[in-house]
Amino acid sequence: KQEVTQIPAALSVPEGENLVLNCSFTDSAIYNLQWFRQDPGKGLTSLLLIQSSQREQTSGRLNASLDKSSGRSTLYIAASQPGDSATYLCAAVHQTGANNLFFGTGTRLTVIP
Amino acid sequence: DTGVSQDPRHKITKRGQNVTFRCDPISEHNRLYWYRQTLGQGPEFLTYFQNEAQLEKSRLLSDRFSAERPKGSFSTLEIQRTEQGDSAMYLCASSPDTGKEHFGPGTRLTVT
């Protein structure tokens, strides 16, 4: 069974700092890996999707990387802003089966003005 | 594209009662998923539909849970004889055959 782990569980940074969120997964036979943002009590917003054949994806101040061989992905946020405060979840999709997402427990980010 | 919608957004029920949630996916999406999320945890997969066929169910989906997607469009998730441990956010997502999942806002269930 795929297990996804995110470290740290919580992170506080001052506004303007660059930061990295980490995600590791146990089964490298993934189809893709996604990063989501979740605001308190709300649903999930997809941020970036990296196909298994790709190494990274970028969108604005966000950059996500994928290293299948080591079972790791990182989400880099540049020049953090208070509006970035949320929980960030990574999720892996297996190569076979229903293509459902296996989620980590998330990193709760607080950007301090 | 109006997004995935879920109804109700919040439900408070007494233990032992039955509840039903509805999900309306993005219209052209063939795939529909249900997830459950408890406080401080990531969402956990419950079940998956390809059009009207329920193709996979998690072990989390006990006999008290049933999901349907009768015409391959909207889906319902019913929980019978609710227990306090059923309190969670129930998330619905849809996707095309190849592409990322789009999530709804969720239904928060509280069992008292």
Side-chain angles (χ1 to χ4, degrees), chain A residues 1 31-32 34 36 38 41-49 89 93 97-106, chain B residues 9 31 33 35 37 40-45 48 56 59 89 91 97-106 108:
Chain A
K1 178 191 170 188
Y31 181 66
N32 63 48
Q34 293 185 54
F36 292 86
Q38 187 173 34
K42 302 291 178 63
L44 280 67
T45 301
S46 180
L47 298 173
L48 290 165
L49 182 152
L89 295 150
V93 176
N99 283 353
N100 58 283
L101 294 156
F102 289 90
F103 282 88
T105 52
Chain B
R9 297 291 305 277
R31 298 184 175 205
Y33 302 82
Y35 292 84
Q37 185 178 26
Q41 301 297 313
E44 295 175 291
F45 170 72
Y48 152 66
E56 191 157 330
R59 289 173 299 171
M89 175 79 88
L91 294 162
D97 284 339
T98 56
K100 58 185 178 182
E101 294 179 29
H102 297 252
F103 280 81
R108 179 166 296 283

CSV table of all heavy atoms in Angstrom, one decimal, chain A residues 1 31-32 34 36 38 41-49 89 93 97-106, chain B residues 9 31 33 35 37 40-45 48 56 59 89 91 97-106 108:
chain,number,residue,atom,x,y,z
A,1,LYS,N,0.8,-1.2,0.0
A,1,LYS,CA,0.0,0.0,0.0
A,1,LYS,C,0.9,1.3,0.0
A,1,LYS,O,1.9,1.3,0.7
A,1,LYS,CB,-0.9,0.0,1.2
A,1,LYS,CG,-1.8,1.2,1.3
A,1,LYS,CD,-2.4,1.3,2.7
A,1,LYS,CE,-3.1,2.7,2.9
A,1,LYS,NZ,-3.6,2.9,4.3
A,31,TYR,N,1.9,7.2,-11.1
A,31,TYR,CA,1.4,7.7,-12.4
A,31,TYR,C,1.7,9.2,-12.4
A,31,TYR,O,2.1,9.8,-13.4
A,31,TYR,CB,0.0,7.4,-12.6
A,31,TYR,CG,-0.6,7.8,-13.9
A,31,TYR,CD1,-0.2,7.3,-15.1
A,31,TYR,CD2,-1.6,8.8,-14.0
A,31,TYR,CE1,-0.7,7.7,-16.3
A,31,TYR,CE2,-2.1,9.2,-15.2
A,31,TYR,CZ,-1.7,8.7,-16.3
A,31,TYR,OH,-2.2,9.1,-17.5
A,32,ASN,N,1.4,9.9,-11.3
A,32,ASN,CA,1.7,11.3,-11.2
A,32,ASN,C,1.7,11.7,-9.7
A,32,ASN,O,1.3,10.9,-8.9
A,32,ASN,CB,0.8,12.2,-12.0
A,32,ASN,CG,-0.7,12.1,-11.6
A,32,ASN,OD1,-1.0,12.2,-10.4
A,32,ASN,ND2,-1.6,11.9,-12.5
A,34,GLN,N,0.6,15.1,-7.2
A,34,GLN,CA,0.0,16.4,-7.2
A,34,GLN,C,0.2,17.1,-5.9
A,34,GLN,O,0.3,16.4,-4.8
A,34,GLN,CB,-1.5,16.3,-7.4
A,34,GLN,CG,-1.9,15.8,-8.8
A,34,GLN,CD,-3.4,15.8,-9.0
A,34,GLN,OE1,-4.0,16.9,-8.8
A,34,GLN,NE2,-3.9,14.7,-9.4
A,36,PHE,N,-1.7,20.0,-3.5
A,36,PHE,CA,-2.9,20.7,-3.3
A,36,PHE,C,-2.8,21.7,-2.2
A,36,PHE,O,-1.9,21.6,-1.3
A,36,PHE,CB,-4.0,19.7,-2.9
A,36,PHE,CG,-4.5,18.8,-3.9
A,36,PHE,CD1,-3.8,17.6,-4.1
A,36,PHE,CD2,-5.5,19.1,-4.8
A,36,PHE,CE1,-4.2,16.7,-5.1
A,36,PHE,CE2,-6.0,18.1,-5.7
A,36,PHE,CZ,-5.3,17.0,-5.9
A,38,GLN,N,-5.2,23.5,0.8
A,38,GLN,CA,-6.5,23.4,1.5
A,38,GLN,C,-6.6,24.5,2.5
A,38,GLN,O,-5.8,24.6,3.5
A,38,GLN,CB,-6.8,22.1,2.1
A,38,GLN,CG,-8.2,21.9,2.7
A,38,GLN,CD,-8.4,20.5,3.2
A,38,GLN,OE1,-7.5,19.8,3.7
A,38,GLN,NE2,-9.7,20.0,3.0
A,41,GLY,N,-11.5,24.3,6.7
A,41,GLY,CA,-12.9,23.9,6.4
A,41,GLY,C,-13.3,23.9,5.0
A,41,GLY,O,-14.5,23.8,4.7
A,42,LYS,N,-12.4,24.0,4.1
A,42,LYS,CA,-12.7,24.0,2.7
A,42,LYS,C,-12.2,22.8,1.9
A,42,LYS,O,-11.5,22.0,2.4
A,42,LYS,CB,-12.1,25.3,2.0
A,42,LYS,CG,-12.5,26.6,2.7
A,42,LYS,CD,-13.9,26.9,2.4
A,42,LYS,CE,-14.4,28.2,3.1
A,42,LYS,NZ,-13.7,29.4,2.6
A,43,GLY,N,-12.6,22.8,0.6
A,43,GLY,CA,-12.1,21.7,-0.2
A,43,GLY,C,-10.7,21.9,-0.7
A,43,GLY,O,-10.0,22.8,-0.2
A,44,LEU,N,-10.3,21.1,-1.7
A,44,LEU,CA,-8.9,21.2,-2.1
A,44,LEU,C,-8.8,21.9,-3.4
A,44,LEU,O,-9.6,21.7,-4.3
A,44,LEU,CB,-8.3,19.7,-2.3
A,44,LEU,CG,-7.9,19.0,-1.0
A,44,LEU,CD1,-9.0,18.7,-0.1
A,44,LEU,CD2,-7.2,17.7,-1.4
A,45,THR,N,-7.7,22.7,-3.6
A,45,THR,CA,-7.4,23.3,-4.8
A,45,THR,C,-6.1,22.8,-5.4
A,45,THR,O,-5.1,22.8,-4.7
A,45,THR,CB,-7.2,24.9,-4.6
A,45,THR,OG1,-8.4,25.4,-4.1
A,45,THR,CG2,-6.9,25.5,-5.9
A,46,SER,N,-6.1,22.3,-6.6
A,46,SER,CA,-4.9,21.7,-7.2
A,46,SER,C,-4.0,22.8,-7.5
A,46,SER,O,-4.3,23.8,-8.2
A,46,SER,CB,-5.3,20.9,-8.4
A,46,SER,OG,-4.1,20.4,-9.0
A,47,LEU,N,-2.7,22.6,-7.2
A,47,LEU,CA,-1.7,23.6,-7.5
A,47,LEU,C,-0.8,23.2,-8.6
A,47,LEU,O,-0.6,23.9,-9.6
A,47,LEU,CB,-0.8,23.8,-6.2
A,47,LEU,CG,-1.5,24.4,-5.0
A,47,LEU,CD1,-0.5,24.4,-3.8
A,47,LEU,CD2,-2.0,25.8,-5.2
A,48,LEU,N,-0.2,22.0,-8.5
A,48,LEU,CA,0.7,21.5,-9.6
A,48,LEU,C,0.5,20.0,-9.7
A,48,LEU,O,0.3,19.3,-8.7
A,48,LEU,CB,2.1,21.9,-9.2
A,48,LEU,CG,2.5,23.3,-9.3
A,48,LEU,CD1,3.9,23.6,-8.5
A,48,LEU,CD2,2.6,23.8,-10.7
A,49,LEU,N,0.6,19.5,-10.9
A,49,LEU,CA,0.6,18.1,-11.2
A,49,LEU,C,1.9,17.8,-11.9
A,49,LEU,O,2.2,18.4,-13.0
A,49,LEU,CB,-0.6,17.7,-12.0
A,49,LEU,CG,-0.8,16.2,-12.3
A,49,LEU,CD1,-2.3,15.9,-12.5
A,49,LEU,CD2,-0.1,15.8,-13.6
A,89,LEU,N,-1.0,19.8,0.8
A,89,LEU,CA,-1.1,18.3,0.7
A,89,LEU,C,-0.5,17.8,-0.5
A,89,LEU,O,-0.7,18.4,-1.6
A,89,LEU,CB,-2.6,17.9,0.8
A,89,LEU,CG,-3.3,18.2,2.1
A,89,LEU,CD1,-4.8,18.3,1.8
A,89,LEU,CD2,-3.1,17.0,3.1
A,93,VAL,N,-0.7,9.2,-7.3
A,93,VAL,CA,-1.6,8.4,-8.0
A,93,VAL,C,-0.8,7.2,-8.5
A,93,VAL,O,0.3,7.3,-9.1
A,93,VAL,CB,-2.2,9.1,-9.2
A,93,VAL,CG1,-3.1,8.1,-10.0
A,93,VAL,CG2,-3.1,10.2,-8.8
A,97,GLY,N,-4.9,0.5,-11.1
A,97,GLY,CA,-6.0,0.7,-10.2
A,97,GLY,C,-6.9,1.8,-10.6
A,97,GLY,O,-7.0,2.2,-11.8
A,98,ALA,N,-7.6,2.4,-9.6
A,98,ALA,CA,-8.6,3.4,-9.9
A,98,ALA,C,-8.1,4.8,-10.1
A,98,ALA,O,-8.8,5.7,-10.4
A,98,ALA,CB,-9.6,3.4,-8.6
A,99,ASN,N,-6.8,4.9,-10.1
A,99,ASN,CA,-6.2,6.3,-10.2
A,99,ASN,C,-6.6,7.2,-9.1
A,99,ASN,O,-6.6,8.4,-9.2
A,99,ASN,CB,-6.6,6.9,-11.6
A,99,ASN,CG,-5.7,6.3,-12.7
A,99,ASN,OD1,-4.8,5.6,-12.5
A,99,ASN,ND2,-6.1,6.7,-13.9
A,100,ASN,N,-7.0,6.6,-7.9
A,100,ASN,CA,-7.3,7.5,-6.8
A,100,ASN,C,-6.0,8.0,-6.2
A,100,ASN,O,-5.0,7.5,-6.4
A,100,ASN,CB,-8.1,6.7,-5.8
A,100,ASN,CG,-7.4,5.5,-5.2
A,100,ASN,OD1,-7.4,4.5,-5.9
A,100,ASN,ND2,-6.8,5.6,-4.0
A,101,LEU,N,-6.2,9.1,-5.5
A,101,LEU,CA,-5.1,9.8,-4.8
A,101,LEU,C,-4.8,9.2,-3.5
A,101,LEU,O,-5.7,9.0,-2.7
A,101,LEU,CB,-5.4,11.3,-4.7
A,101,LEU,CG,-5.5,12.0,-6.0
A,101,LEU,CD1,-6.4,13.3,-5.8
A,101,LEU,CD2,-4.2,12.4,-6.6
A,102,PHE,N,-3.5,9.0,-3.2
A,102,PHE,CA,-3.0,8.7,-1.8
A,102,PHE,C,-2.4,9.9,-1.3
A,102,PHE,O,-1.4,10.4,-1.7
A,102,PHE,CB,-2.0,7.6,-1.9
A,102,PHE,CG,-2.5,6.2,-2.3
A,102,PHE,CD1,-2.6,5.8,-3.6
A,102,PHE,CD2,-3.0,5.3,-1.3
A,102,PHE,CE1,-3.1,4.6,-4.0
A,102,PHE,CE2,-3.5,4.1,-1.6
A,102,PHE,CZ,-3.6,3.7,-3.0
A,103,PHE,N,-3.0,10.4,-0.2
A,103,PHE,CA,-2.6,11.7,0.4
A,103,PHE,C,-1.7,11.6,1.5
A,103,PHE,O,-1.8,10.6,2.3
A,103,PHE,CB,-3.9,12.5,0.9
A,103,PHE,CG,-4.7,13.2,-0.2
A,103,PHE,CD1,-5.7,12.5,-0.9
A,103,PHE,CD2,-4.4,14.5,-0.6
A,103,PHE,CE1,-6.4,13.1,-1.9
A,103,PHE,CE2,-5.2,15.1,-1.6
A,103,PHE,CZ,-6.2,14.4,-2.2
A,104,GLY,N,-0.8,12.6,1.7
A,104,GLY,CA,-0.1,12.8,2.9
A,104,GLY,C,-1.0,13.5,3.9
A,104,GLY,O,-2.1,13.9,3.6
A,105,THR,N,-0.4,13.7,5.1
A,105,THR,CA,-1.2,14.4,6.2
A,105,THR,C,-1.1,15.9,6.1
A,105,THR,O,-1.8,16.6,6.8
A,105,THR,CB,-0.8,13.9,7.6
A,105,THR,OG1,0.6,14.1,7.7
A,105,THR,CG2,-1.2,12.4,7.8
A,106,GLY,N,-0.3,16.4,5.2
A,106,GLY,CA,-0.2,17.8,5.0
A,106,GLY,C,0.8,18.6,5.9
A,106,GLY,O,1.2,18.1,6.9
B,9,ARG,N,-23.7,21.3,2.6
B,9,ARG,CA,-22.3,21.7,3.0
B,9,ARG,C,-22.0,21.3,4.4
B,9,ARG,O,-20.9,20.9,4.8
B,9,ARG,CB,-22.1,23.2,2.9
B,9,ARG,CG,-22.2,23.7,1.4
B,9,ARG,CD,-21.0,23.2,0.6
B,9,ARG,NE,-19.8,23.6,1.2
B,9,ARG,CZ,-19.2,24.7,1.0
B,9,ARG,NH1,-19.8,25.7,0.3
B,9,ARG,NH2,-18.0,25.0,1.6
B,31,ARG,N,-15.2,10.2,-14.5
B,31,ARG,CA,-14.8,9.6,-13.2
B,31,ARG,C,-15.2,10.4,-12.1
B,31,ARG,O,-15.2,11.6,-12.1
B,31,ARG,CB,-13.2,9.4,-13.2
B,31,ARG,CG,-12.7,8.5,-14.3
B,31,ARG,CD,-11.2,8.3,-14.1
B,31,ARG,NE,-10.7,7.4,-15.1
B,31,ARG,CZ,-9.6,6.7,-15.0
B,31,ARG,NH1,-8.9,6.8,-13.9
B,31,ARG,NH2,-9.3,5.8,-16.0
B,33,TYR,N,-15.1,10.3,-7.6
B,33,TYR,CA,-14.4,9.8,-6.4
B,33,TYR,C,-15.1,10.4,-5.2
B,33,TYR,O,-15.5,11.5,-5.2
B,33,TYR,CB,-13.0,10.1,-6.4
B,33,TYR,CG,-12.1,9.7,-7.6
B,33,TYR,CD1,-12.1,10.4,-8.8
B,33,TYR,CD2,-11.4,8.5,-7.5
B,33,TYR,CE1,-11.4,10.0,-9.9
B,33,TYR,CE2,-10.6,8.1,-8.6
B,33,TYR,CZ,-10.6,8.9,-9.8
B,33,TYR,OH,-9.9,8.5,-10.9
B,35,TYR,N,-14.0,10.8,-1.1
B,35,TYR,CA,-13.0,10.7,-0.1
B,35,TYR,C,-13.5,11.1,1.3
B,35,TYR,O,-14.5,11.9,1.4
B,35,TYR,CB,-11.8,11.6,-0.4
B,35,TYR,CG,-11.0,11.3,-1.6
B,35,TYR,CD1,-11.4,11.7,-2.9
B,35,TYR,CD2,-9.8,10.6,-1.5
B,35,TYR,CE1,-10.7,11.3,-4.0
B,35,TYR,CE2,-9.0,10.2,-2.6
B,35,TYR,CZ,-9.5,10.6,-3.9
B,35,TYR,OH,-8.7,10.3,-5.0
B,37,GLN,N,-12.2,12.8,5.0
B,37,GLN,CA,-11.1,13.5,5.7
B,37,GLN,C,-11.5,13.8,7.1
B,37,GLN,O,-12.4,14.5,7.4
B,37,GLN,CB,-10.7,14.8,5.0
B,37,GLN,CG,-9.5,15.5,5.5
B,37,GLN,CD,-9.1,16.8,4.8
B,37,GLN,OE1,-10.0,17.4,4.1
B,37,GLN,NE2,-7.8,17.1,4.8
B,40,GLY,N,-7.1,17.0,10.9
B,40,GLY,CA,-5.6,16.8,10.9
B,40,GLY,C,-5.0,15.8,10.0
B,40,GLY,O,-3.8,15.5,10.1
B,41,GLN,N,-5.9,15.2,9.2
B,41,GLN,CA,-5.4,14.1,8.3
B,41,GLN,C,-5.7,14.5,6.9
B,41,GLN,O,-6.4,15.4,6.6
B,41,GLN,CB,-6.2,12.8,8.6
B,41,GLN,CG,-6.0,12.3,10.0
B,41,GLN,CD,-4.6,11.9,10.4
B,41,GLN,OE1,-3.9,11.2,9.6
B,41,GLN,NE2,-4.1,12.4,11.5
B,42,GLY,N,-5.0,13.8,6.0
B,42,GLY,CA,-5.2,14.0,4.6
B,42,GLY,C,-6.5,13.1,4.2
B,42,GLY,O,-6.9,12.2,4.9
B,43,PRO,N,-7.1,13.5,3.1
B,43,PRO,CA,-8.3,12.7,2.6
B,43,PRO,C,-7.9,11.3,2.4
B,43,PRO,O,-6.8,10.9,1.9
B,43,PRO,CB,-8.6,13.4,1.3
B,43,PRO,CG,-8.1,14.8,1.4
B,43,PRO,CD,-6.8,14.6,2.2
B,44,GLU,N,-8.9,10.4,2.6
B,44,GLU,CA,-8.7,8.9,2.4
B,44,GLU,C,-9.7,8.5,1.4
B,44,GLU,O,-10.9,8.8,1.5
B,44,GLU,CB,-8.9,8.1,3.7
B,44,GLU,CG,-7.8,8.4,4.7
B,44,GLU,CD,-8.1,7.7,6.0
B,44,GLU,OE1,-9.1,8.1,6.7
B,44,GLU,OE2,-7.4,6.7,6.3
B,45,PHE,N,-9.3,7.7,0.4
B,45,PHE,CA,-10.1,7.2,-0.7
B,45,PHE,C,-11.2,6.3,-0.1
B,45,PHE,O,-11.0,5.4,0.7
B,45,PHE,CB,-9.3,6.5,-1.7
B,45,PHE,CG,-10.0,5.7,-2.7
B,45,PHE,CD1,-10.7,6.3,-3.7
B,45,PHE,CD2,-10.1,4.3,-2.7
B,45,PHE,CE1,-11.4,5.6,-4.7
B,45,PHE,CE2,-10.7,3.6,-3.6
B,45,PHE,CZ,-11.4,4.2,-4.7
B,48,TYR,N,-14.9,4.8,-6.1
B,48,TYR,CA,-14.6,5.4,-7.4
B,48,TYR,C,-15.6,4.8,-8.4
B,48,TYR,O,-16.0,3.7,-8.4
B,48,TYR,CB,-13.2,5.0,-7.8
B,48,TYR,CG,-12.9,4.9,-9.3
B,48,TYR,CD1,-13.0,6.0,-10.1
B,48,TYR,CD2,-12.6,3.7,-9.9
B,48,TYR,CE1,-12.7,6.0,-11.5
B,48,TYR,CE2,-12.3,3.6,-11.2
B,48,TYR,CZ,-12.3,4.7,-12.0
B,48,TYR,OH,-12.0,4.7,-13.3
B,56,GLU,N,-14.4,0.5,-7.7
B,56,GLU,CA,-13.5,0.2,-6.6
B,56,GLU,C,-14.0,0.8,-5.3
B,56,GLU,O,-14.6,1.9,-5.3
B,56,GLU,CB,-12.1,0.7,-6.9
B,56,GLU,CG,-11.0,0.2,-5.9
B,56,GLU,CD,-9.6,0.3,-6.5
B,56,GLU,OE1,-9.5,0.2,-7.7
B,56,GLU,OE2,-8.7,0.4,-5.7
B,59,ARG,N,-11.6,-0.4,1.9
B,59,ARG,CA,-12.0,-1.2,3.1
B,59,ARG,C,-12.6,-0.3,4.1
B,59,ARG,O,-13.3,-0.7,5.0
B,59,ARG,CB,-10.8,-1.9,3.7
B,59,ARG,CG,-10.2,-3.0,2.9
B,59,ARG,CD,-8.9,-3.5,3.5
B,59,ARG,NE,-7.9,-2.5,3.5
B,59,ARG,CZ,-6.8,-2.6,4.2
B,59,ARG,NH1,-6.5,-3.6,4.9
B,59,ARG,NH2,-5.9,-1.6,4.1
B,89,MET,N,-15.2,15.2,7.1
B,89,MET,CA,-15.5,16.0,5.9
B,89,MET,C,-15.5,14.9,4.8
B,89,MET,O,-14.6,14.2,4.6
B,89,MET,CB,-14.4,17.0,5.6
B,89,MET,CG,-14.6,17.7,4.3
B,89,MET,SD,-15.9,19.0,4.4
B,89,MET,CE,-14.9,20.4,4.9
B,91,LEU,N,-15.5,14.4,0.9
B,91,LEU,CA,-15.1,15.2,-0.3
B,91,LEU,C,-15.5,14.4,-1.6
B,91,LEU,O,-15.2,13.1,-1.6
B,91,LEU,CB,-13.6,15.5,-0.3
B,91,LEU,CG,-13.2,16.4,0.8
B,91,LEU,CD1,-11.7,16.3,1.0
B,91,LEU,CD2,-13.5,17.9,0.5
B,97,ASP,N,-11.0,11.0,-18.1
B,97,ASP,CA,-10.3,9.7,-18.1
B,97,ASP,C,-8.8,9.9,-17.9
B,97,ASP,O,-8.2,9.2,-17.2
B,97,ASP,CB,-10.5,8.9,-19.4
B,97,ASP,CG,-11.9,8.3,-19.4
B,97,ASP,OD1,-12.5,8.1,-18.3
B,97,ASP,OD2,-12.4,8.0,-20.5
B,98,THR,N,-8.3,11.0,-18.5
B,98,THR,CA,-6.9,11.3,-18.2
B,98,THR,C,-6.9,12.8,-17.8
B,98,THR,O,-7.3,13.6,-18.6
B,98,THR,CB,-6.0,11.1,-19.4
B,98,THR,OG1,-6.5,11.8,-20.5
B,98,THR,CG2,-5.9,9.6,-19.8
B,99,GLY,N,-6.4,13.0,-16.6
B,99,GLY,CA,-6.4,14.4,-16.2
B,99,GLY,C,-6.6,14.5,-14.7
B,99,GLY,O,-6.9,13.5,-14.0
B,100,LYS,N,-6.4,15.6,-14.1
B,100,LYS,CA,-6.4,15.7,-12.7
B,100,LYS,C,-7.8,15.8,-12.1
B,100,LYS,O,-8.7,16.2,-12.8
B,100,LYS,CB,-5.5,16.9,-12.2
B,100,LYS,CG,-5.9,18.2,-12.7
B,100,LYS,CD,-4.9,19.3,-12.3
B,100,LYS,CE,-5.2,20.7,-12.8
B,100,LYS,NZ,-4.2,21.7,-12.4
B,101,GLU,N,-7.8,15.5,-10.8
B,101,GLU,CA,-9.1,15.5,-10.1
B,101,GLU,C,-9.5,16.9,-9.7
B,101,GLU,O,-8.6,17.6,-9.2
B,101,GLU,CB,-9.1,14.5,-8.9
B,101,GLU,CG,-8.9,13.1,-9.4
B,101,GLU,CD,-8.8,12.1,-8.2
B,101,GLU,OE1,-9.4,12.5,-7.1
B,101,GLU,OE2,-8.2,11.1,-8.3
B,102,HIS,N,-10.7,17.2,-9.8
B,102,HIS,CA,-11.3,18.5,-9.3
B,102,HIS,C,-12.2,18.2,-8.1
B,102,HIS,O,-13.1,17.4,-8.2
B,102,HIS,CB,-12.1,19.2,-10.4
B,102,HIS,CG,-11.2,19.6,-11.6
B,102,HIS,ND1,-10.9,20.9,-11.9
B,102,HIS,CD2,-10.7,18.8,-12.6
B,102,HIS,CE1,-10.2,20.9,-13.0
B,102,HIS,NE2,-10.0,19.6,-13.5
B,103,PHE,N,-11.9,18.9,-7.0
B,103,PHE,CA,-12.6,18.6,-5.8
B,103,PHE,C,-13.7,19.6,-5.6
B,103,PHE,O,-13.6,20.8,-5.9
B,103,PHE,CB,-11.6,18.7,-4.6
B,103,PHE,CG,-10.8,17.4,-4.4
B,103,PHE,CD1,-9.7,17.2,-5.2
B,103,PHE,CD2,-11.2,16.4,-3.5
B,103,PHE,CE1,-8.9,16.0,-5.1
B,103,PHE,CE2,-10.5,15.3,-3.4
B,103,PHE,CZ,-9.3,15.1,-4.2
B,104,GLY,N,-14.8,19.1,-4.9
B,104,GLY,CA,-15.9,19.9,-4.5
B,104,GLY,C,-15.5,20.5,-3.1
B,104,GLY,O,-14.5,20.2,-2.5
B,105,PRO,N,-16.4,21.3,-2.6
B,105,PRO,CA,-16.2,22.0,-1.3
B,105,PRO,C,-16.3,21.1,-0.1
B,105,PRO,O,-15.9,21.5,1.0
B,105,PRO,CB,-17.2,23.1,-1.3
B,105,PRO,CG,-18.3,22.6,-2.1
B,105,PRO,CD,-17.7,21.8,-3.2
B,106,GLY,N,-16.9,19.9,-0.3
B,106,GLY,CA,-17.0,19.0,0.8
B,106,GLY,C,-18.3,19.1,1.6
B,106,GLY,O,-19.0,20.2,1.6
B,108,ARG,N,-19.5,18.6,5.5
B,108,ARG,CA,-19.0,18.3,6.9
B,108,ARG,C,-20.1,17.6,7.7
B,108,ARG,O,-21.1,18.2,7.9
B,108,ARG,CB,-18.5,19.6,7.6
B,108,ARG,CG,-18.0,19.3,9.0
B,108,ARG,CD,-17.2,20.5,9.6
B,108,ARG,NE,-16.0,20.7,8.9
B,108,ARG,CZ,-14.9,20.0,9.0
B,108,ARG,NH1,-14.9,19.0,9.7
B,108,ARG,NH2,-13.8,20.4,8.3
